[in-house]
Amino acid sequence: MLNRTTARALPVALAVSLLAAGCTGSAPAPGDSVHEADTQSDAPVEQATVQMPVGPLEMDAAEFWTPGQTDGDVTIVRSGGCEDDAPCPSFAVITGETAAAINPAEPYFDDGIGCPVPGTAGSSGELLTQHPATVARQQGTMYMFEVTCTDADGVEQVTLPQNQWTLETDDGTIFIVDRWSFDGMLAKVAEATLAT
């Protein structure tokens, strides 16, 4: 028998998969079988990548990313094809005074990105671990949280993982928030470069 948290998380996992699939345009949705791709072409399938500016970083963008939109100190990258008013897989790169004021050992929610369940926002979280990590090919720190998303009435709807990275540079702090478990983010954060 599924416990309450697991039972609640299953529909959310399905919803996130469907949202991600709906936001990828012509790219195959997560979980599409290799066999299906092979029937379309005998050529090896390679995901196209391009360097995308995201705030002060140049990141190896996945095919489904849309260019980062900057508002003050916050740059947000979203999956393409999402409706403007729908929750959309996104992550944020934060700099300047905003990043300097953040306590990275606490989950950050003031990034303009919602939770995967419509009408919910992050409200609290528990730090699971923090450890050294490569950020933009330099020594930074990664923080992993389990966060709670609540509706407008403050009722818990789902718990999910949230990853945060920090990097101290000569130009200040870079802070990255991923609440949507973007595919390959560990590698993309590590292999990013500082924009020149």
Side-chain angles (χ1 to χ4, degrees), residues 57-149:
L57 301 176
E58 293 280 341
M59 299 185 75
D60 186 13
E63 196 174 75
F64 61 90
W65 290 12
T66 59
Q69 301 295 314
T70 301
D71 182 8
D73 292 336
V74 182
T75 300
I76 295 176
V77 173
R78 300 184 190 278
S79 291
C82 292
E83 299 293 332
D84 289 341
D85 58 349
C88 187
S90 309
F91 69 90
V93 175
I94 305 167
T95 57
E97 293 180 7
T98 304
I102 294 171
N103 177 356
E106 296 179 358
Y108 187 74
F109 300 119
D110 194 21
D111 49 19
I113 300 170
C115 287
V117 175
T120 65
S123 61
S124 63
E126 176 187 356
L127 178 63
L128 302 177
T129 183
Q130 74 178 69
H131 53 80
T134 303
V135 179
R137 305 181 188 196
Q138 300 182 41
Q139 186 67 50
T141 306
M142 180 178 180
Y143 301 80
M144 299 175 69
F145 298 89
E146 180 178 70
V147 300
T148 298
C149 295

Side-chain angles (χ1 to χ4, degrees), residues 19-45:
L19 282 171
C23 294
T24 58
S26 62
D32 281 358
S33 72
V34 175
H35 177 71
E36 290 173 2
D38 287 344
T39 62
Q40 296 173 6
S41 171
D42 292 331
V45 177

Side-chain angles (χ1 to χ4, degrees), residues 111-181:
D111 49 19
I113 300 170
C115 287
V117 175
T120 65
S123 61
S124 63
E126 176 187 356
L127 178 63
L128 302 177
T129 183
Q130 74 178 69
H131 53 80
T134 303
V135 179
R137 305 181 188 196
Q138 300 182 41
Q139 186 67 50
T141 306
M142 180 178 180
Y143 301 80
M144 299 175 69
F145 298 89
E146 180 178 70
V147 300
T148 298
C149 295
T150 56
D151 62 19
D153 295 324
V155 178
E156 177 185 328
Q157 298 297 316
V158 66
T159 58
L160 49 88
Q162 175 169 309
N163 292 330
Q164 300 177 175
W165 293 264
T166 59
L167 176 66
E168 298 300 325
T169 73
D170 293 340
D171 295 323
T173 302
I174 298 174
F175 187 80
I176 303 167
V177 183
D178 177 21
R179 192 173 307 116
W180 283 79
S181 298

